[in-house]
C-alpha cells in the first residue's frame, strides 16, 4: 500500500523501499538501507514488524545530511536568467561572486537543527585576484533552521508580509521544514519536504515564495516576489544549493505574472579550518548577542496570523538598528524593543502559498 504522500512521479522518486532480508518487511522510511539499522528498522524487521521511523524519531540519515552542510567552505554563487516570459523582456547579465563561508551548528536537538552561515570576504584586485595585503571582512550571513514534522509555517506573500499556516499532521509526516532567515534573523522563506537518499544521492527540494535577494532588490524593482525552487544536495566535495527560480509580479486580487526564470548554482567546496579561522573567532565573540536576538524573534513568531515588517524606520533597515546593540552586547529586552518597532499591522492577503 502506497503512503498518502505519494501523489505523483516526483513523490515516487522520494519513496525508498527497503526490503529487510529474510523478514519480508517494507520500510517506508524515506531513508537509505544503510540508515535503517540506526533508525530501529532492523530491530523491527527481526520481530517481523514494519516501522515508520518518523513515529520513532528524526531519521538519522536525514540528520546527517543536514549536519553535513556545516563546516568551512569556498563558496561560488552563480545565477543566470534562462527564459524571458513577458513580451519585450530582455535577459539580464549573469551574476557571479564568491567567498569563504563558515557554517556553524548553532543548535542540535535531534528533531531541530540550526545552521548559521558566516561569510569571510576577501578584497579583490582589478584583475579579480585576491588582495593578500588587504584585511578580510566578516559578515553574518543567512541562517537555516531544520524542523522535523513541523506543522507551523510562515509563508512569504509579498511586500514584507508573511502568512501563517498550520499544516496537517499527515501532510508533514516524515518531512523536514527548512526555515531561512535574513542577516538580522528576520524571516525570509520556509518550505517543507522529504529528504531523499537514493542511488548514492542525498537531497531535499522544495518550491516556495520569498522576498527578492540582495543581488536583485538593490538593482531593480520590476518584480516583487521570487518563487524559489530550492534543492540541497550533499556531494563528495561538500554540497550544492541548486535553484530554479521564477521572478514574479504579485498583486492583490490578480493572478501572478511570471516575468522571467533563472538558474542558480551555489557550490560549497570544503576547505581547511585555517581559511575560516577569522569567521570562527568573530562568531565566538558575537554568538551571545545573536542567541539573545533569536530569543527575541521567537516571541515575535509566537502568533497564528500574518506577520508584516516595516522595511525601514528612520530611513534605516533593521540590521542597521541592530549594529549598535551588537557592539554593546545589549540584553534581550533592548533587542525586542527594536524588533517590535518593525512589526506592523497589515491586512491579511489571500495570494500567499497555501491560502
Amino acid at each position: 500500500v502506497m503512503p498518502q504522500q505519494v501523489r505523483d512521479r516526483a513523490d515516487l522518486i522520494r519513496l525508498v523501499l527497503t526490503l529487510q532480508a529474510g523478514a519480508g518487511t517494507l520500510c517506508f522510511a524515506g531513508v537509505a538501507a544503510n540508515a535503517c539499522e540506526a533508525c530501529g528498522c532492523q530491530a523491527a524487521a527481526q520481530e517481523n514488524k514494519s516501522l515508520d521511523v518518523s513515529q520513532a524519531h528524526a531519521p538519522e540519515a536525514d540528520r546527517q545530511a543536514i549536519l553535513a552542510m556545516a563546516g568551512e567552505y569556498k563558496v561560488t554563487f552563480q545565477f543566470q536568467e534562462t527564459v524571458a516570459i513577458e513580451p519585450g523582456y530582455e535577459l539580464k547579465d549573469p551574476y557571479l561572486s564568491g567567498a569563504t563561508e563558515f557554517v556553524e551548528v548553532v543548535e542540535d536537538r535531534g528533531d531541530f537543527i540550526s545552521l548559521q552561515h558566516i561569510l569571510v570576504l576577501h578584497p579583490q584586485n582589478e584583475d579579480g585576484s585576491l588582495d593578500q595585503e588587504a584585511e578580510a571582512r566578516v559578515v553574518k550571513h543567512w541562517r537555516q533552521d531544520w524542523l522535523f514534522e513541523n506543522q507551523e509555517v510562515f509563508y512569504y506573500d509579498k511586500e514584507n508580509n508573511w502568512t501563517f499556516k498550520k499544516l496537517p499532521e499527515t501532510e508533514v509526516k516524515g518531512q523536514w521544514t527548512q526555515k531561512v532567515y535574513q542577516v538580522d534573523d528576520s524571516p525570509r522563506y520556509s518550505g517543507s519536504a522529504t529528504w531523499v537518499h537514493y542511488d548514492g544521492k542525498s537531497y531535499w527540494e522544495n518550491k516556495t515564495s520569498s522576498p527578492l535577494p540582495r543581488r536583485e532588490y538593490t538593482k531593480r524593482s520590476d518584480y516583487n516576489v521570487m518563487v524559489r525552487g530550492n534543492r540541497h544536495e550533499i556531494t563528495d566535495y561538500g554540497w550544492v544549493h541548486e535553484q530554479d527560480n521564477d521572478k514574479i509580479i504579485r498583486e492583490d486580487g490578480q493572478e501572478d505574472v511570471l516575468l522571467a526564470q533563472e538558474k542558480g548554482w551555489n557550490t560549497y567546496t570544503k576547505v581547511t579550518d585555517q581559511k575560516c579561522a577569522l569567521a570562527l573567532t568573530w562568531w565566538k565573540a558575537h554568538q551571545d548577542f545573536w542567541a539573545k536576538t533569536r530569543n527575541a524573534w521567537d516571541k515575535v513568531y509566537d502568533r497564528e496570523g500574518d506577520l508584516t515588517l516595516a522595511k525601514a524606520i528612520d530611513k534605516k533597515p533593521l540590521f542597521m538598528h541592530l549594529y549598535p546593540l551588537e557592539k554593546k552586547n545589549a540584553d534581550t529586552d533592548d533587542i525586542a524593543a527594536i524588533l517590535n518597532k518593525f512589526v506592523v499591522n497589515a491586512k491579511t492577503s489571500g495570494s500567499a502559498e497555501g491560502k
Side-chain angles (χ1 to χ4, degrees), residues 172-187:
V172 299
K173 195 172 187 62
Q175 293 189 345
W176 288 82
T177 297
Q178 183 201 40
K179 296 184 177 181
V180 173
Y181 300 88
Q182 313 259 26
V183 296
D184 51 22
D185 285 342
S186 60

Side-chain angles (χ1 to χ4, degrees), residues 50 68 70 110 201 223 262 302:
S50 63
K201 296 181 179 180
Y223 75 103
E262 74 171 9
D302 186 16

